[in-house]
Amino acid sequence: METFDPESITGLSEEDAAGKLEKEGYNELPSQRKQSLFSILLNVLREPMLLLLLGAGMIYLFLGETNDALMLLMFVFVVVGITFYQERKTERALEALKNLSSPRALVIRDGKQKRIPGKDVVPGDILILREGDRVPADGVVLFCTNFLVDESLLTGESLAVRKSQWDGKIQPGQPGGDDLPFVYSGTLVVQGHGVARVTATGIHTEMGKIGRALETITREDTYLKKETGLIVRNFAIAGLILFILVVVIYGLTRGNWLSGLLAGLSLSMALLPEEFSVVLVIFLSMGAWRLSRRHVLTRRTAAIETLGSTTVLCVDKTGTLTMNRMILSSLFCDGEYHEPVTKENLSLPEKFHELLEFGYLASQKDPFDPIEKEIKKGTERFLSNTEHVHRSWKLVREYPLSKNLLALSNVWASYERRKYVIAAKGSPEAIIDLCHMDEARKNDILSHVQEMADKGLRILGVAGSSFQADSLPEEQHVFKFEFIGLLGFEDPVRPSVARALSECYSAGIRVIMITGDYPGTARHIARQIGLKDPDEYMTGAELAQLEQDELALRIRTTNIFARVVPEQKLILVNTLKTNREVVAMTGDGVNDAPALKSAHTGIAMGGRGTDVARESSAIVLLNDDFSSIVAAVRLGRRIFDNLKKAIGYIFSVHVPIAGLVLFPLLFDLPLVLLPAHIAFLELIIDPACSTVFEAEPEEKNIMERPPRNLKERLFGRQSLILSLLQGTSVLAVVIIVFLLALHIGRGETEARTLTFATLVIANLALILANLSWSKSLIKTFDFENKALWLVLGGALFSLILVLYVPAFRALFHFSVLHLDDMLIALFAGILSVAWFKLLNIRSKITSD
């Protein structure tokens, strides 16, 4: 290996750099090719649901219902807009990653230091890296002093790692770990300075690997979308078959093909499930709004329902379970411990003053490193008004960390003491070495170190010395150090995590911790929060040795994965998916982005999370509160429950509507429902199945039952049978009312009016019957659900208008209903549903 001389560096010439830039390209991640609005529109219009909406709109136009037609066509454009937004989201994720990976860079070219845009850095460039700089490209360290780099964006580790000088032999590997001579694009220098030669730029960097992973991952359609698509397809097929049958039967039996066509269109209007589109959009949009009130941003609304079906929650430790900041939590000196974070007063026992004093003297005056920041904060908190703060002292020399001695020392000129004061801090083993302890004293200190390590603490030893000679030695070992004590730091657990984790377990959700940190720290955190089986774990190295089948088996029982690299997070998520788990993944770093995007539901931390993580996720916790995940799961389950109720109602109410269109045709009776009547009913059905059911409070046992089974359909066979039973019951009663009216001599108009009024009352009873699986019909009148009262009141008021206002009565071809007729309609309509509710049949399918 050649001896490195920083003064002799000339770097690349501008000519060489320009040639490499032309050959290698810019140091940035390539953007995805943007799709045109027209191509997105074509893809969206292939969806059967939108094709049905367009078809329904054409039918409404043909029937002269212009307002309804415009509403449905406008909804098509809304869905196109939402889809366009989702397509652009991936582009924005890559753009955020691109911007993060291309900061300004200080390079040496033609023997001079020069600040250039990060995108202009090329392989072979010499980088000057200083405290606070973000590394613009991957490189090898040629020279460094006290060089610490925060690689948490790539590894998830909360602590900065120490860098060493390259020996010319070791080859680049994965980020993470101390004393490695490599720096990586996007990481942050927190202490010291160094010189590095660029080895990789753009897509060839570790950051670039993540960018390529994001480009290749495609999100799956949610189960909700797949199931509703199947329901809509079946409705469409049934509607088409019945449409043809009605036209043919009417034309052959009555010889009026035009009237047969209109009757067939009326039946299509009764069967086309345009409510599904309205229900999905309103339920999920309102769910996103409700979550926003709890500081949760929903970037992909369909993910709310998927989150409610989650069976496994994968959490990143740093910044998700913990606060992602180091806290001085324990001090050890002369055989005693002191834990300042648990003490309510601001005083520090006198015997610990020197420990904190020398820890501060061994740190930077204006630190960037989080541990040194915490030492400074503790000094200002406990020692600000004491003689242990030396503002007049002058720093005269620094002895940096090295591979051979993991400790650093600061030499201070003490004018009042007329000597040099030396403060050292570093790994306990290095400080013990500096103090030249005997074996008994060494073992005693190491036993306390182990005791603190078992609590998951990051431990620093502190020592002090004095020196009176005129010239300072070249090595720290020359000083006669005295051991002072130990400082213990922890990344504290978020206060709400333990309770939120307990709720997850109650809801049948398994929680897995995936972290780049060490197993000991991960296990300690697991015990603190109550994670199941905290003693069983797997490291990234072990994971790399497993075949896919072995990993799929081990992951069923292992809840802690430590020292995991970014690619392995993605492997774990995909393995869980192959085990037929519904996976939610939380994270905040760039390293989490591929896993966030691949998971069924990606949840990013909004406060500390990176732009890349947020752009790749479906849900963002704006307040970084882990407990918000539980609130989102609860809401997701409520949405699914209420959506199931709404679809059950849609099925039920369409049975009597379609039946009243078909029955007169089959038995050569006067038509009961005309297009205007169906449009009137839709004015009740649409807001009822959307706003009323969406606003219904959650069932009491919502977080005490297991997640929805993957094989469970949104609307299974049993639910379908029960809904058809409800609808058939209503149909039978209204047909009896219609036939009875004709039998006692009422005219066609009077019979239609009485039947229609009965159907409206039965429709309202159906709403009440389907609102709750656990409440009686009377208790369903919930004052909390204001939308229910608006729909009930609006429906009854509109019914009165069309029955008793002459203009509307003529438009709908109705006659006046007398009091006895209204009582018959009221009694028959309620009875058609009440028997079903009284038998409490629906409560038996809360878990279909």
Side-chain angles (χ1 to χ4, degrees):
M1 173 184 173
E2 298 181 5
T3 302
F4 178 75
D5 179 11
E7 302 298 327
S8 65
I9 296 179
T10 59
L12 297 175
S13 68
E14 289 292 349
E15 185 178 351
D16 288 341
K20 288 193 174 187
L21 189 64
E22 184 176 354
K23 179 182 178 181
E24 302 284 343
Y26 285 112
N27 177 35
E28 59 186 13
L29 299 177
S31 298
Q32 283 187 324
R33 186 180 64 180
K34 296 182 179 180
Q35 297 187 66
S36 67
L37 180 60
F38 181 72
S39 63
I40 294 175
L41 178 63
L42 287 180
N43 288 332
V44 173
L45 291 181
R46 294 175 184 172
E47 292 289 333
M49 186 180 292
L50 287 184
L51 289 175
L52 284 171
L53 280 174
L54 286 173
M58 295 302 104
I59 293 172
Y60 276 122
L61 281 176
F62 184 79
L63 295 168
E65 300 291 339
T66 309
N67 292 334
D68 290 310
L70 290 177
M71 180 192 71
L72 292 177
L73 294 175
M74 185 178 296
F75 181 74
V76 172
F77 289 107
V78 171
V79 174
V80 170
I82 292 173
T83 306
F84 180 74
Y85 166 77
Q86 296 300 333
E87 292 291 335
R88 292 297 308 276
K89 186 164 64 177
T90 298
E91 296 170 6
R92 288 198 300 274
L94 291 171
E95 195 68 24
L97 190 60
K98 175 180 170 181
N99 293 337
L100 182 61
S101 64
S102 187
R104 301 279 294 176
L106 182 62
V107 299
I108 298 177
R109 288 186 179 173
D110 292 323
K112 298 179 181 179
Q113 294 187 17
K114 183 179 181 182
R115 183 77 63 179
I116 63 172
K119 67 185 182 66
D120 292 338
V121 171
V122 296
D125 258 330
I126 302 298
L127 299 173
I128 307 296
L129 298 172
R130 297 169 178 162
E131 191 173 285
D133 286 346
R134 192 168 290 280
V135 180
D138 288 6
V140 59
V141 179
L142 304 178
F143 169 80
C144 64
T145 301
N146 283 349
F147 200 38
L148 296 179
V149 180
D150 178 0
E151 296 182 346
S152 61
L153 289 179
L154 293 173
T155 66
E157 294 184 35
S158 57
L159 295 174
V161 292
R162 185 175 54 254
K163 296 298 178 182
S164 62
Q165 185 172 318
W166 188 47
D167 61 5
K169 299 177 182 178
I170 186 172
Q171 296 300 311
Q174 297 288 350
D178 287 319
D179 294 321
L180 294 175
F182 307 107
V183 289
Y184 300 94
S185 176
T187 59
L188 185 67
V189 179
V190 298
Q191 185 173 300
H193 59 274
V195 178
R197 184 175 70 242
V198 175
T199 57
T201 59
I203 61 172
H204 304 294
T205 64
E206 288 296 316
M207 187 83 76
K209 293 178 183 178
I210 296 174
R212 291 200 300 274
L214 284 175
E215 283 185 309
T216 58
I217 295 171
T218 56
R219 287 196 177 97
E220 302 175 3
D221 284 344
T222 65
Y223 296 107
L224 181 61
K225 186 174 181 180
K226 293 175 182 177
E227 292 174 19
T228 52
L230 180 64
I231 292 172
V232 169
R233 187 195 68 183
N234 293 340
F235 258 82
I237 293 172
L240 179 62
I241 293 172
L242 288 175
F243 169 77
I244 296 172
L245 285 175
V246 167
V247 173
V248 172
I249 292 172
Y250 201 102
L252 292 177
T253 58
R254 304 192 184 188
N256 191 335
W257 291 93
L258 180 58
S259 296
L261 179 62
L262 292 174
L265 290 173
S266 296
L267 181 62
S268 297
M269 289 176 61
L271 287 178
L272 279 176
E274 74 275 6
E275 296 95 354
F276 285 157
S277 300
V278 177
V279 164
L280 282 176
V281 169
I282 290 182
F283 268 60
L284 297 178
S285 298
M286 287 298 294
W289 174 76
R290 293 183 192 280
L291 277 178
S292 70
R293 299 177 68 186
R294 303 189 183 204
H295 307 289
V296 178
L297 173 65
T298 307
R299 298 178 50 79
R300 189 160 53 94
T301 55
I304 298 174
E305 182 275 330
T306 308
L307 185 59
S309 306
T310 297
T311 60
V312 175
L313 176 59
C314 297
V315 295
D316 181 56
K317 177 186 73 66
T318 305
T320 305
L321 299 176
T322 66
M323 304 290 288
N324 195 25
R325 58 188 179 92
M326 301 309 296
I327 300 295
L328 180 59
S329 63
S330 182
L331 294 87
F332 171 79
C333 184
D334 290 338
E336 291 186 23
Y337 290 97
H338 180 73
E339 298 181 348
V341 293
T342 63
K343 307 297 182 183
E344 294 183 1
N345 57 45
L346 297 178
S347 64
L348 180 70
E350 180 68 32
K351 70 181 304 179
F352 295 98
H353 284 198
E354 187 182 31
L355 172 59
L356 200 52
E357 171 191 3
F358 274 76
Y360 180 54
L361 289 174
S363 305
Q364 300 285 327
K365 271 193 170 183
D366 188 17
F368 201 82
D369 178 70
I371 285 183
E372 292 194 347
K373 281 185 176 181
E374 182 64 14
I375 292 174
K376 180 180 180 182
K377 179 181 175 183
T379 303
E380 293 173 347
R381 176 186 176 189
F382 296 115
L383 306 179
S384 59
N385 297 320
T386 70
E387 72 278 6
H388 296 283
V389 178
H390 311 283
R391 294 182 175 85
S392 62
W393 287 11
K394 181 181 178 182
L395 181 65
V396 295
R397 181 161 180 175
E398 298 178 64
Y399 292 90
L401 288 164
S402 68
K403 273 188 176 181
N404 299 324
L405 185 64
L406 301 180
L408 59 86
S409 298
N410 286 343
V411 181
W412 297 86
S414 171
Y415 299 108
E416 65 266 26
R417 299 183 187 181
R418 296 185 178 181
K419 62 182 179 181
Y420 294 118
V421 176
I422 302 96
K425 78 174 191 302
S427 72
E429 293 79 6
I431 294 299
I432 288 171
D433 185 27
L434 280 178
C435 295
H436 305 290
M437 293 181 183
D438 58 43
E439 198 67 23
R441 174 70 168 149
K442 174 181 176 181
N443 290 336
D444 179 59
I445 297 298
L446 289 178
S447 69
H448 292 291
V449 170
Q450 186 60 48
E451 186 177 343
M452 297 173 73
D454 289 341
K455 297 179 181 179
L457 301 182
R458 161 82 168 183
I459 307 161
L460 291 180
V462 177
S465 181
S466 61
F467 195 74
Q468 290 187 325
D470 292 334
S471 60
L472 294 170
E474 292 300 316
E475 295 183 357
Q476 301 178 66
H477 270 292
V478 175
F479 299 115
K480 295 181 179 180
F481 281 104
E482 292 292 331
F483 181 79
I484 299 176
L486 302 171
L487 298 173
F489 302 85
E490 69 172 340
D491 185 3
V493 171
R494 294 180 182 275
S496 60
V497 169
R499 181 178 176 184
L501 183 64
S502 177
E503 290 191 63
C504 285
Y505 286 145
S506 296
I509 300 172
R510 181 182 167 207
V511 179
I512 295 177
M513 182 195 301
I514 303 177
T515 177
D517 217 330
Y518 292 93
T521 305
R523 290 166 61 197
H524 176 72
I525 296 295
R527 293 189 185 98
Q528 281 187 283
I529 63 176
L531 190 73
K532 290 182 178 179
D533 301 320
D535 293 323
E536 185 174 348
Y537 66 91
M538 183 187 296
T539 64
E542 294 176 73
L543 192 154
Q545 302 301 317
L546 294 180
E547 297 292 334
Q548 181 64 34
D549 292 343
E550 293 178 290
L551 178 58
L553 186 63
R554 287 283 302 276
I555 205 172
R556 295 179 189 273
T557 57
T558 304
N559 294 330
I560 299 176
F561 292 87
R563 302 300 291 165
V564 170
V565 297
E567 291 84 352
Q568 291 175 326
K569 291 187 177 185
L570 182 59
I571 290 171
L572 289 171
V573 168
N574 288 337
T575 302
L576 286 166
K577 289 168 68 177
T578 61
N579 283 353
R580 298 192 63 78
E581 303 282 4
V582 181
V583 184
M585 168 77 185
T586 70
D588 60 355
V590 173
N591 61 311
D592 298 321
L596 286 171
K597 188 174 180 182
S598 179
H600 292 105
T601 308
I603 308 169
M605 296 297 168
R608 296 181 181 274
T610 61
D611 288 342
V612 183
R614 287 192 289 268
E615 291 291 340
S616 301
S617 65
I619 291 175
V620 179
L621 306 183
L622 298 177
N623 58 357
D624 286 3
D625 189 348
F626 182 78
S627 64
S628 296
I629 298 174
V630 179
V633 170
R634 180 185 294 273
L635 184 62
R637 291 189 173 193
R638 169 184 163 179
I639 286 174
F640 184 75
D641 281 356
N642 289 346
L643 187 58
K644 204 169 182 180
K645 297 171 187 176
I647 292 179
Y649 162 71
I650 292 172
F651 272 110
S652 298
V653 77
H654 274 272
V655 171
I657 294 174
L660 285 178
V661 174
L662 274 174
F663 181 76
L665 299 177
L666 296 175
F667 295 96
D668 197 21
L669 294 169
L671 292 179
V672 180
L673 294 183
L674 303 176
H677 303 150
I678 298 175
F680 180 93
L681 291 169
E682 288 295 333
L683 292 178
I684 302 174
I685 296 171
D686 284 346
C689 65
S690 53
T691 57
V692 173
F693 282 93
E694 192 282 328
E696 181 63 13
E698 66 196 39
E699 299 287 337
K700 291 181 179 180
N701 67 338
I702 195 166
M703 292 297 284
E704 297 172 4
R705 60 180 191 245
R708 172 191 172 205
N709 192 295
L710 282 175
K711 296 180 180 179
E712 178 192 343
R713 298 176 62 181
L714 174 65
F715 204 71
R717 182 179 300 173
Q718 189 177 5
S719 295
L720 176 60
I721 292 172
L722 289 167
S723 290
L724 290 175
L725 183 60
Q726 275 188 323
T728 304
S729 172
V730 173
L731 176 61
V733 169
V734 293
I735 286 178
I736 290 172
V737 169
F738 179 65
L739 294 176
L740 188 60
L742 292 176
H743 180 70
I744 62 176
R746 300 287 181 93
E748 176 184 329
T749 304
E750 290 178 289
R752 177 186 297 122
T753 307
L754 181 59
T755 304
F756 182 80
T758 305
L759 180 59
V760 170
I761 299 300
N763 185 6
L764 300 181
L766 276 175
I767 295 173
L768 294 171
N770 285 278
L771 269 181
S772 175
W773 294 321
S774 57
K775 297 177 184 177
S776 66
L777 197 61
I778 300 298
K779 290 183 179 180
T780 308
F781 288 93
D782 195 331
F783 289 96
E784 185 180 341
N785 192 339
K786 296 179 181 178
L788 172 63
W789 294 97
L790 289 174
V791 168
L792 292 179
L796 292 174
F797 178 73
S798 299
L799 180 61
I800 292 171
L801 284 181
V802 298
L803 291 178
Y804 298 105
V805 175
F808 289 115
R809 192 167 62 240
L811 179 65
F812 281 84
H813 305 283
F814 286 156
S815 63
V816 176
L817 278 188
H818 300 292
L819 180 60
D820 55 343
D821 294 325
M822 283 298 296
L823 290 175
I824 291 173
L826 186 64
F827 176 77
I830 294 175
L831 181 64
S832 67
V833 177
W835 72 270
F836 190 88
K837 190 69 176 179
L838 289 173
L839 292 178
N840 208 22
I841 296 174
R842 178 64 68 177
S843 65
K844 299 175 183 177
I845 59 162
T846 55
S847 177
D848 196 9

